Amino acid sequence: ETGVTQTPRHLVMGMTNKKSLKCEQHLGHNAMYWYKQSAKKPLELMFVYNFKEQTENNSVPSRFSPECPNSSHLFLHLHTLQPEDSALYLCASSQDLSSGGNTQYFGPGTRLTVL
Amino acid sequence: SQKIEQNSEALNIQEGKTATLTCNYTNYSPAYLQWYRQDPGRGPVFLLLIRENEKEKRKERLKVTFDTTLKQSLFHITASQPADSATYLCALDTSGNTPLVFGKGTRLSVIA
């Protein structure tokens, strides 16, 4: 138990659906992250929020839309996804982005399947 | 260009031996380097952090070295056990208020 929870743990959706992934951290951290990890591939950083402000968007398609209403919660809104978006979506948090303060604590992930 | 490389995609060793994993980087000047463990279908778990002015860090059966001249970190697991089988990721803390940069990982299999 890392103090970072993600819901749902598994999600199957059609290409025309709209769904949201939720992440919550109970660590008092100020930075939160979304990563994508496809099967047997490395982590791909998608979005970073620091003190509720988005600081990174790594050329992520607009069908993925993040939302960070406060420092404890992070959402990833999904719409009109493609089958190649099927992956493990991981949320992480860290104290902040400062050097030495950015050790990341990951949630268990949401396994997403797009049909 | 900036690169972070972990020596091999997969490493097989026999139980009881020491596993050594390598992380090399170019065109970075990290203040810290971190190592994580990831089991299949789960998020990575933080293991150890080493600062640029530290040569070595230990935690139980784990040892990490950091050579800023060679631009390399070595991660050792002594007396390895099948339960140590996982993917191990190194991550650079490049300072300047930026996120960690993760390597692709090395998948370690410890064979009984």
Side-chain angles (χ1 to χ4, degrees):
Chain A
E1 179 59 56
T2 63
V4 181
T5 58
Q6 289 187 244
T7 54
R9 294 294 308 278
H10 301 272
L11 178 62
V12 179
M13 60 187 287
M15 289 192 285
T16 57
N17 291 161
K18 285 186 182 181
K19 296 286 184 184
S20 294
L21 308 185
K22 179 182 174 183
C23 176
E24 184 173 359
Q25 56 96 0
H26 310 273
L27 301 169
H29 287 167
N30 297 299
M32 296 188 78
Y33 311 74
W34 279 118
Y35 288 88
K36 174 185 177 183
Q37 190 171 38
S38 302
K40 299 193 178 179
K41 289 197 172 176
L43 291 172
E44 293 175 48
L45 180 63
M46 300 174 73
F47 302 105
V48 181
Y49 280 81
N50 194 33
F51 293 92
K52 299 192 297 178
E53 297 294 320
Q54 187 175 313
T55 60
E56 300 244 347
N57 175 343
N58 282 351
S59 304
V60 181
S62 59
R63 57 185 184 271
F64 295 92
S65 173
E67 180 190 358
C68 188
N70 55 60
S71 291
S72 300
H73 293 87
L74 185 65
F75 294 90
L76 187 62
H77 304 299
L78 316 171
H79 64 98
T80 58
L81 294 191
Q82 306 297 311
E84 60 264 28
D85 296 322
S86 299
L88 182 68
Y89 287 84
L90 291 161
C91 173
S93 71
S94 66
Q95 185 61 50
D96 48 47
L97 293 183
S98 67
S99 197
N102 55 10
T103 296
Q104 292 183 20
Y105 296 83
F106 286 81
T110 295
R111 172 70 62 189
L112 173 68
T113 303
V114 181
L115 301 175
Chain B
S1 63
Q2 294 175 315
K3 270 198 295 188
I4 174 169
E5 291 179 321
Q6 295 193 238
N7 55 325
S8 53
E9 212 174 290
L11 180 66
N12 297 328
I13 65 161
Q14 208 160 10
E15 184 177 8
K17 302 289 186 189
T18 296
T20 298
L21 284 65
T22 305
C23 177
N24 295 297
Y25 57 92
T26 53
N27 294 324
Y28 284 110
S29 297
Y32 299 82
L33 192 143
Q34 303 184 18
W35 284 88
Y36 290 75
R37 168 183 172 142
Q38 186 175 23
D39 291 287
R42 294 173 167 259
V45 175
F46 170 71
L47 295 174
L48 279 169
L49 174 153
I50 186 165
R51 294 174 173 77
E52 61 177 334
N53 60 355
E54 293 179 311
K55 295 289 185 191
E56 185 179 295
K57 197 83 167 274
R58 291 176 186 260
K59 179 182 175 183
E60 297 171 352
R61 293 183 297 111
L62 308 181
K63 183 178 90 171
V64 172
T65 62
F66 192 10
D67 188 325
T68 55
T69 303
L70 290 179
K71 297 186 182 298
Q72 180 181 80
S73 175
L74 299 179
F75 177 82
H76 305 274
I77 306 175
T78 57
S80 59
Q81 305 165 1
D84 295 326
S85 299
T87 295
Y88 291 87
L89 305 163
C90 67
L92 301 184
D93 178 343
T94 58
S95 73
N97 248 19
T98 54
L100 294 176
V101 178
F102 281 89
K104 292 184 177 181
T106 295
R107 190 172 66 253
L108 175 68
S109 296
V110 180
I111 302 155

